[in-house]
């Protein structure tokens, strides 16, 4: 099954860009990469998703390597409220099942 | 108002009791999901439903059952609760979100409820 690998934790200074990496080397060719975050024990919040091209929305940017084996989520100007666990997710190939790893715990420092 | 709601938000019960967790959504999505989350771990899929007549087991369905009463409602039951079912439970919904073009694909972004914290003593 496709799965993702993320660093367990990262720190980022407030106002700086937070770059969160994800390895998904076994992703199949037509599967999207999704990013969610979870603040405390709240429900995961959708951030962004992408397939091949880089994507940007009001929350973040997603950079996907050309071989699609890894991606980086960029929060351009991190705030204290961005402190959360960030999950990079792919689906089980041929299904609609998300595979959640343990995510990256991002701490934004004042 | 929240698009995906869950009740109750917190529940403490005893071993052997029957528990029902409820999920409602106003997003108009056909697809609904139940996940559980244990401390320090990611979410794991319990059951999912693509429409009212469709129910599918996820990776950890043993000890759980579900009911899809309507497009907007999806309930999770623990027939006889046990302590290792103590966890956070999340409901989610999704829409296929088919992309346009010759190679149409489903983006199927999921939207999660606020969660139910269940403790089984």
């Amino acid at each position: 099954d496709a799965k993702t690998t993320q660093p367990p934790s990262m720190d980022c200074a407030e106002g700086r860009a937070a770059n969160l990496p994800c390895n998904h080397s076994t992703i199949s060719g037509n599967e999207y990469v999704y990013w969610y975050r979870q603040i405390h024990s709240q429900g995961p919040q959708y951030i962004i998703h992408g397939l091949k091209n880089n994507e940007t929305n009001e929350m973040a940017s997603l950079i996907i390597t050309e071989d699609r084996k890894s991606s980086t989520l960029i929060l351009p100007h991190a705030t204290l409220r961005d402190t959360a666990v960030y999950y990079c997710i792919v689906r089980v190939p041929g299904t609609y099942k998300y595979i959640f790893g343990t995510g990256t715990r991002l701490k934004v420092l004042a | 108002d929240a698009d995906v709601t869950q009740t109750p938000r917190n529940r403490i019960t005893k071993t052997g009791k029957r528990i029902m967790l409820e999920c409602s959504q106003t997003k108009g999505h056909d697809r609904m999901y139940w996940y559980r989350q244990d401390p320090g771990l990611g979410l794991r899929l319990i059951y999912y439903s693509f429409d009212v007549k469709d129910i599918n087991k996820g990776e950890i369905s043993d000890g759980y059952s579900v009911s899809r009463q309507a497009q907007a409602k999806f309930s999770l039951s623990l027939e006889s609760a046990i302590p290792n079912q103590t966890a956070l439970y999340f409901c989610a919904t999704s829409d296929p979100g088919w992309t346009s073009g010759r190679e149409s694909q489903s983006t199927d972004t999921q939207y999660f409820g606020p969660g139910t914290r269940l403790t089984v003593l």
Side-chain angles (χ1 to χ4, degrees):
Chain A
D1 289 348
K3 64 177 183 180
T4 61
T5 303
Q6 300 177 252
S9 64
M10 294 180 65
D11 290 342
C12 177
E14 187 177 22
R16 304 298 291 268
N19 296 282
L20 293 91
C22 178
N23 179 287
H24 35 78
S25 59
T26 59
I27 193 172
S28 62
N30 61 350
E31 284 294 343
Y32 285 82
V33 179
Y34 303 82
W35 282 83
Y36 285 76
R37 71 182 183 185
Q38 187 175 27
I39 298 172
H40 297 300
S41 296
Q42 298 175 20
Q45 177 189 21
Y46 166 75
I47 301 173
I48 199 167
H49 71 275
L51 182 63
K52 297 179 182 178
N53 302 316
N54 298 337
E55 302 287 346
T56 295
N57 63 19
E58 64 279 4
M59 291 182 68
S61 295
L62 175 61
I63 308 298
I64 302 174
T65 57
E66 191 170 344
D67 63 8
R68 299 203 344 110
K69 293 184 177 182
S70 65
S71 61
T72 300
L73 179 75
I74 301 172
L75 308 178
H77 305 286
T79 71
L80 298 178
R81 288 180 294 180
D82 292 323
T83 292
V85 177
Y86 287 77
Y87 293 100
C88 166
I89 296 165
V90 297
R91 289 188 298 201
V92 176
T95 78
Y96 298 95
K97 303 177 186 179
Y98 278 5
I99 302 175
F100 279 82
T102 52
T104 294
R105 186 172 297 275
L106 175 69
K107 188 174 184 179
V108 180
L109 305 172
Chain B
D1 288 341
D3 295 320
V4 185
T5 57
Q6 293 183 233
T7 56
R9 295 294 312 279
N10 289 282
R11 182 72 185 268
I12 300 174
T13 190
K14 294 182 179 180
T15 298
K17 294 291 187 180
R18 183 178 188 274
I19 297 297
M20 179 179 286
L21 308 183
E22 299 189 356
C23 177
S24 295
Q25 53 111 348
T26 58
K27 298 184 76 69
H29 290 169
D30 285 328
R31 299 176 178 179
M32 298 187 73
Y33 310 77
W34 275 105
Y35 291 87
R36 71 175 272 175
Q37 184 176 31
D38 295 287
L41 300 179
L43 280 67
R44 292 183 292 166
L45 184 63
I46 306 172
Y47 271 96
Y48 62 103
S49 168
F50 282 179
D51 64 40
V52 175
K53 297 180 182 179
D54 175 76
I55 301 291
N56 304 281
K57 292 183 177 180
E59 57 183 312
I60 53 164
S61 59
D62 288 348
Y64 302 94
S65 62
V66 292
S67 173
R68 184 80 184 268
Q69 301 95 323
Q71 185 203 40
K73 296 184 182 296
F74 193 34
S75 300
L76 176 72
S77 294
L78 290 67
E79 296 301 325
S80 179
I82 56 177
N84 76 1
Q85 292 177 313
T86 293
L88 269 172
Y89 289 85
F90 292 102
C91 173
T93 75
S94 73
D95 182 286
W98 294 101
T99 60
S100 60
R102 187 170 57 181
E103 296 181 2
S104 182
Q105 299 179 41
S106 169
T107 57
D108 204 39
T109 302
Q110 295 187 21
Y111 297 90
F112 290 81
T116 294
R117 184 177 295 279
L118 176 66
T119 302
V120 183
L121 302 176

